[in-house]
Amino acid sequence: MTNPTPQPASPPRALRWAVAGSVVVMIAAGGLFYYASQLAAAKRQTHSNEIAVSIHAHACEPNALTVPAGPASFRIINRSDRAVEWEILDGVLVVEERENIAPGLSQVINANLQPGDYAITCGLLSNPRGTLHVTPTAESEAQAKAKPSMVAFIGPLSEFRVYLSSQGSALIKAVTALQQAIDAGDLTQAQALYATARVAYQGLAPAAQRMAELDNAINARADYFEKREQDPAFSGFHRIEYSLFQQRSLDGLAPVAQRLLSDVTTLKQQLLAQSLPPEQLVGIVVRNLNSLADVRALSGEEERYSHLDLNGFAANLAAAHKVVELMRPLLEKSAADLLPKVDNALGAFDSQLDSLKVDGQYRRYDSVTDGQRKQIADKAKALAAVLDGIDPALGLSGLQ
Amino acid sequence: MKKSTLALSLLLPLSPLAAFAATAPLDLVGPVSDYKIYVTEEIGELVTQTQAFTDAINKGDLATAKKLYAPTRVHYESIEPIAELFSDLDASIDSRVDDHEKGVTAEDFTGFHRIEYALFSQNSTQGLETLTAKLNTDVNDLKTRVDGLTFPPEKVVGGAAALLEEVAATKISGEEDRYSHTDLYDFQGNIDGAKKIVDLFRGQIEKQDKAFLAKVDKNFATVDKVLAKYKTKDGGFETYDKVKDSDRKALVGPVNTLAEDLSMLRGKLGLN
């Protein structure tokens, strides 16, 4: 990391100490002030505006609550003769709860509530549920319209990392099986397992393509090598595809499969080690769809020996669906007008690919006409274009 | 862009906030996702072991069923901060007799503790088919829901304190597994689950407050040491009635301190 602070020509030593000292004092004073104000805020929050709720043997009192959005404190007093719980529920999901409130005692629950209607679990499970109505405030309305904060992206990005982990494991498993079939000399089985492994890879492709060199070792086409298929450096999935589907032979494939297994294992590790900035989450999907639209759909070059292109496109599209699902709560909040357009574009691409299925299987790509290929490219392009609107709508691009 | 970064970094040392360099939200992505991976693995175990546990019951093998009861439950106890987010399933899987007005005869008293009552109090595996089928359905349903849940970061970080509060409220008293007295398994499950959260966020906590982390580690170690005294050769635990009064008392202090300290974790990581 570079230090952007300009380094002035060495001032007198005493002056430097004085400046340093005053900075320390300022920081300390600021820190104390901050601490004191936080302490005061914390006290205010717990001692004023508490809403008292009594749990009786068969119901809560009051059993219907209405509060404004924002922080709220509930003091729950257990007037029944058992240790019970009090929970705020959004559907079946617990928003806040306090368990094991002893008979005769009370406990405080602090909640930061969004506008809406909630249910209350009140003591015994057979007791009637209470209701909690949270009304919007000027502040909550403003918050609803504001761009999401960085904290709001922790959830989607974490979930995407979990997706990379499980897809990465699926890829390793599929390539292991492929390698075993090659070692066992079973061509038919290896051809079937190549298809499975490719689908696993294409589900990860948007993220994998960030790892330029490693991804080349895994996914480079023959065109990238001077002597094409005959080039000794030609390796990875497509080298295996060439042997399995073009030459229909397993000769010399064992070391290629071994290396591929080692590379996809490294790929999973690297995908989990790399942090993905929020603006890249949609960005990598857009890039992947653009490569589909601009190159792969029209030429069918990606799976030129096996003609399994449609399976790969469908896996790319599934990754796009995944990312949209992860971003959906943020979009609903901050870019609601964009969502129907995103869903329409996803749906249009879904139907296009579905129309190319026969008996539940995707057709070989060499049986897909130029007109149909153009349709696929158009749907991918349209989806990429509408997804490209997400980052600006969430305030993720053009940041100062 | 460059210019404004420069201006910002020049101003920053003068801001009072600089003394409390906050955890960058995106630094929490790794630990939160690793926690989901951990929870997913634990639920996988819960599903598999619940099947084996209920198979034993359905075969009428009381001894095996009793033996599998506690080790199966542990996988629920360790992930309770997430599991109990689903209130309906938490009630049908893990509610205790006190939660039901009609006690053991309540129709909606189902799940582990209802089965525990039959196995350990009535010494019987008879007539439990509906309950075992429901428990399997419920843990599978839990798995599906957790897979689809984007983990709220504040619930993950807050989970460490929630687990310790659970220990303080129901484990030390021995009320959780009142028929089987296998409370120490759950106790260890709660402690391990909380420690997992601390371990996953260790790097971020350390940056904020080293002394805090040292204190938390020390209290975890004290609790673990007491629990270790009651480990049996087969990797399990003695029943809770064997735990000496002096050891129960020795657990209270560190458990309460941990619950209190860990409740500050959300604030320390900027998630309040």
Side-chain angles (χ1 to χ4, degrees), chain A residues 4 27 30 34 58 82 89 92-95 97 99-100 124-126 154-155 157-159 161-162 165 278, chain B residues 6 9 13 16 25-26 29-30 32-34 36-37 84-85 87 96 98-101 145 149-150 155 166 170:
Chain A
I27 291 173
Y34 178 73
H58 296 286
R82 296 197 200 181
L89 303 178
V92 297
L93 269 185
V94 175
V95 180
E97 67 174 342
E99 292 183 317
N100 297 292
L124 293 175
L125 295 170
S126 51
I154 300 174
L157 287 170
S158 300
E159 200 53 29
R161 189 166 173 273
V162 172
S165 171
Chain B
L6 183 67
S9 60
L26 298 184
V29 169
V32 169
S33 50
D34 281 336
K36 177 155 187 183
I37 293 168
E84 70 184 12
L85 287 178
S87 63
R96 289 185 284 276
D98 321 71
D99 298 323
H100 302 273
E101 190 181 357
R145 291 201 211 169
L149 177 74
T150 296
K155 293 285 179 204
E166 169 98 12
T170 66

Side-chain angles (χ1 to χ4, degrees), chain A residues 37-342:
Chain A
S37 62
Q38 290 293 303
L39 209 64
K43 276 189 182 156
R44 262 201 312 281
Q45 207 178 4
T46 45
H47 289 296
S48 67
N49 300 327
E50 255 175 26
I51 299 152
V53 178
S54 295
I55 302 180
H56 297 286
H58 296 286
C60 281
E61 183 194 351
N63 211 30
L65 297 162
T66 300
V67 300
S73 293
F74 301 90
R75 178 167 290 278
I76 313 302
I77 308 145
N78 184 1
R79 299 197 189 282
S80 77
D81 57 2
R82 296 197 200 181
V84 289
E85 64 181 351
W86 194 83
E87 297 170 323
I88 302 172
L89 303 178
D90 184 3
V92 297
L93 269 185
V94 175
V95 180
E96 290 295 341
E97 67 174 342
R98 189 66 78 235
E99 292 183 317
N100 297 292
I101 307 169
L105 296 185
S106 73
Q107 292 213 22
V108 174
I109 298 182
N110 293 309
N112 193 3
L113 296 164
Q114 302 294 319
D117 284 301
Y118 301 84
I120 305 287
T121 314
C122 179
L124 293 175
L125 295 170
S126 51
N127 287 353
R129 291 261 170 96
T131 59
L132 172 63
H133 179 62
V134 180
T135 53
T137 61
E139 203 183 343
S140 75
E141 293 285 275
Q143 261 176 15
K145 285 189 193 116
K147 306 292 184 207
S149 72
M150 270 304 153
V151 173
F153 291 97
I154 300 174
L157 287 170
S158 300
E159 200 53 29
F160 189 67
R161 189 166 173 273
V162 172
Y163 170 79
L164 293 179
S165 171
S166 64
Q167 285 283 309
S169 298
L171 175 61
I172 292 169
K173 200 173 154 197
V175 172
T176 303
L178 171 62
Q179 189 236 344
Q180 284 166 352
I182 288 171
D183 276 358
D186 189 339
L187 179 65
T188 318
Q189 180 72 354
Q191 286 177 333
L193 290 170
Y194 172 81
T196 317
R198 281 304 285 172
V199 167
Y201 170 78
Q202 292 287 14
L204 282 175
Q209 281 152 8
R210 293 174 78 213
M211 319 285 162
E213 206 171 322
L214 184 58
D215 195 50
N216 275 338
I218 294 170
N219 195 41
R221 264 83 96 186
D223 319 66
Y224 298 150
F225 300 91
E226 193 185 350
K227 296 180 188 157
R228 296 178 180 273
E229 281 88 351
Q230 311 317 319
D231 199 302
F234 179 39
S235 186
F237 267 123
H238 296 299
R239 173 66 187 79
I240 294 175
E241 183 200 6
Y242 171 65
S243 279
L244 295 182
F245 295 90
Q246 180 88 18
Q247 302 184 305
R248 299 180 176 281
S249 153
L250 296 167
D251 286 352
L253 273 194
V256 182
Q258 191 60 52
R259 158 122 195 256
L260 180 64
L261 178 56
S262 143
D263 284 343
V264 295
T265 307
T266 312
L267 178 68
K268 182 189 165 190
Q269 286 163 0
Q270 290 199 4
L271 287 175
L272 292 186
Q274 290 284 341
S275 63
L276 190 72
E279 66 276 15
Q280 289 276 328
L281 183 53
V282 174
I284 56 176
V285 170
V286 169
R287 223 172 308 149
N288 180 256
L289 289 169
N290 276 331
S291 94
L292 203 171
D294 297 340
V295 183
R296 296 182 284 146
L298 301 175
S299 66
E301 64 170 58
E302 184 151 32
E303 310 287 346
R304 68 186 66 168
Y305 320 110
S306 65
H307 307 293
L308 291 166
D309 301 72
L310 286 174
N311 302 61
F313 299 165
N316 289 160
L317 179 55
H321 271 285
K322 179 77 194 176
V323 167
V324 170
E325 282 324 301
L326 297 182
M327 299 297 269
R328 186 174 295 278
L330 294 184
L331 292 171
E332 276 168 353
K333 195 164 168 276
S334 304
D337 50 335
L338 200 59
L339 255 186
K341 293 178 195 155
V342 171

Side-chain angles (χ1 to χ4, degrees), chain B residues 217-263:
Chain B
D217 282 342
K218 191 170 153 271
N219 280 318
F220 270 130
T222 309
V223 173
D224 275 339
K225 209 171 145 193
V226 177
L227 291 178
K229 285 195 202 173
Y230 295 96
K231 276 204 175 129
T232 53
K233 278 183 191 152
D234 61 355
F237 283 97
E238 304 274 9
T239 51
Y240 200 63
D241 45 317
K242 302 238 170 64
V243 180
K244 288 189 216 128
D245 269 353
S246 58
D247 281 328
R248 291 190 193 204
K249 280 189 192 129
L251 286 168
V252 173
V255 163
N256 284 337
T257 312
L258 275 172
E260 217 167 278
D261 285 348
L262 293 176
S263 70

